[in-house]
């Protein structure tokens, strides 16, 4: 099922995002964990890509297994950072062959090596370039994109960020998923601004449960998310008690 069809029904949905293993040795255990989640019959499951596309092989295998074996719609991530046009074309064909109907089109996180590289030589510098290639490939995917309620870290300001987001949607995004946030007011304010800018596609809020204190620092570093003072205080108090955090 395409996620656009699911969203057209205007019913509450709950999905899960899973992270493929980095090595073959733990693939079976991760696959089993994703199957246990699939048994809960979520609305859909999103399967990520590693930084620089490092887990792309496992992304497709897990997404296909969940879809075929449990009938749970899957959203397979596809990143383009450091990829060639040929590599992306091959990935698109592999997804089509695997029966994948939903693709999350992302630039992808930058590894330290990529940060230091010459970006002018990249075939893909932004997610919009990937979205255009997916559309031009003729693949009949429902395409998702990312958005940042608190501004993309590389944007000068929110006005510029929303301008580029509108261009990404116009290029072919059927829906957007937000970067994680911890204050609902940030989301509501963001929604008001993007609707005013003419962005009308469905928005899926991205939420990350924090289960240990170390995740807080990493979450802030990755997304630049604002952490409400009350939330920080709770982690300070219970962060050393795994049972209380859970």
């Amino acid at each position: 099922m395409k996620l656009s069809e699911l969203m057209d029904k205007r019913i509450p949905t709950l999905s899960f995002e899973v992270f493929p293993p980095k090595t073959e040795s733990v693939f079976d255990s991760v696959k089993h964990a994703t199957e246990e989640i699939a048994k809960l019959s979520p609305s859909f499951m999103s399967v990520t890509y590693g930084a620089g596309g490092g887990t792309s092989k496992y992304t497709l295998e897990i997404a296909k297994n969940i879809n075929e074996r449990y009938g749970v719609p899957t959203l397979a991530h596809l990143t383009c950072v450091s990829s060639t046009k040929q590599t992306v074309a091959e990935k698109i064909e592999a997804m089509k062959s695997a029966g994948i109907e939903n693709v999350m089109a992302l630039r992808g996180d930058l590894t330290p090596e990529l940060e230091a590289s010459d970006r002018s030589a990249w075939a893909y510098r932004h997610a919009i370039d990937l979205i255009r290639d997916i559309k031009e490939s003729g693949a009949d995917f429902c395409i998702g994109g990312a958005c940042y309620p608190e501004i993309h870290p590389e944007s000068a300001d929110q006005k510029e960020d929303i301008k580029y987001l509108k261009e990404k949607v116009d290029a072919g995004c059927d829906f957007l998923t937000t970067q994680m946030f911890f204050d609902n007011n940030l989301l509501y304010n963001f929604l008001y601004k993007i609707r005013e800018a003419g962005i009308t596609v469905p928005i899926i809020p991205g939420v990350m449960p924090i289960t240990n204190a170390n995740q807080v620092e990493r979450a802030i570093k990755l997304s630049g998310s604002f952490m409400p003072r009350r939330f920080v205080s709770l982690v300070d108090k219970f962060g050393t008690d795994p049972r209380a955090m859970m």
Side-chain angles (χ1 to χ4, degrees):
M1 174 190 286
K2 289 185 178 179
L3 299 190
S4 53
E5 298 173 23
L6 179 65
M7 294 171 198
D8 282 344
K9 295 180 180 180
R10 304 283 180 173
I11 57 174
T13 61
L14 177 65
S15 62
F16 294 93
E17 183 169 272
V18 298
F19 301 85
K22 294 182 179 180
T23 61
E24 184 73 39
S25 61
V26 295
F27 177 78
D28 287 341
S29 63
V30 174
K31 179 183 176 185
H32 174 72
T34 63
E35 290 175 342
E36 291 301 304
I37 295 172
K39 290 176 184 178
L40 300 174
S41 300
S43 304
F44 65 93
M45 290 174 66
S46 176
V47 189
T48 72
Y49 230 56
T55 64
S56 58
K57 171 186 174 184
Y58 306 124
T59 294
L60 192 57
E61 288 186 38
I62 290 174
K64 182 180 179 180
N65 180 62
I66 293 168
N67 193 24
E68 292 184 350
R69 189 170 180 183
Y70 297 93
V72 175
T74 54
L75 172 62
H77 288 214
L78 177 62
T79 65
C80 59
V81 64
S82 77
S83 293
T84 64
K85 293 277 187 176
Q86 180 178 344
T87 298
V88 166
E90 290 171 354
K91 296 295 182 184
I92 291 172
E93 286 302 315
M95 288 180 167
K96 287 168 60 178
S97 298
I100 301 299
E101 295 183 279
N102 307 290
V103 176
M104 187 71 172
L106 306 164
R107 182 193 68 176
D109 296 331
L110 299 180
T111 62
E113 293 77 19
L114 291 173
E115 282 274 17
S117 65
D118 179 11
R119 301 190 191 187
S120 64
W122 292 359
Y124 298 93
R125 298 181 64 185
H126 304 285
I128 191 172
D129 304 319
L130 174 60
I131 292 166
R132 286 170 176 154
D133 274 8
I134 293 174
K135 297 297 287 187
E136 290 174 5
S137 74
D140 187 23
F141 292 134
C142 173
I143 302 174
C147 60
Y148 290 71
E150 298 174 72
I151 309 174
H152 191 287
E154 296 177 19
S155 290
D157 53 45
Q158 193 167 49
K159 184 176 181 179
E160 178 187 81
D161 195 25
I162 291 175
K163 172 180 174 290
Y164 289 130
L165 184 63
K166 178 69 163 58
E167 291 178 4
K168 189 159 65 172
V169 170
D170 290 344
C173 268
D174 296 293
F175 68 92
L176 296 168
T177 297
T178 76
Q179 178 57 272
M180 57 188 168
F181 59 90
F182 300 94
D183 183 339
N184 288 350
N185 288 323
L186 292 168
L187 175 68
Y188 301 144
N189 184 266
F190 173 71
L191 289 175
Y192 174 81
K193 290 178 179 178
I194 64 172
R195 296 311 190 208
E196 191 176 49
I199 299 172
T200 60
V201 296
I203 308 295
I204 299 175
V207 179
M208 174 178 277
I210 298 293
T211 55
N212 68 68
N214 292 334
Q215 281 183 294
V216 175
E217 183 178 353
R218 177 167 171 76
I220 294 173
K221 184 178 179 181
L222 282 175
S223 66
S225 297
F226 168 72
M227 198 69 66
R229 187 65 245 173
R230 179 175 176 274
F231 190 91
V232 174
S233 297
L234 285 169
V235 175
D236 286 343
K237 183 174 178 61
F238 300 108
T240 57
D241 184 343
R243 189 174 179 182
M245 286 293 291
M246 186 63 72

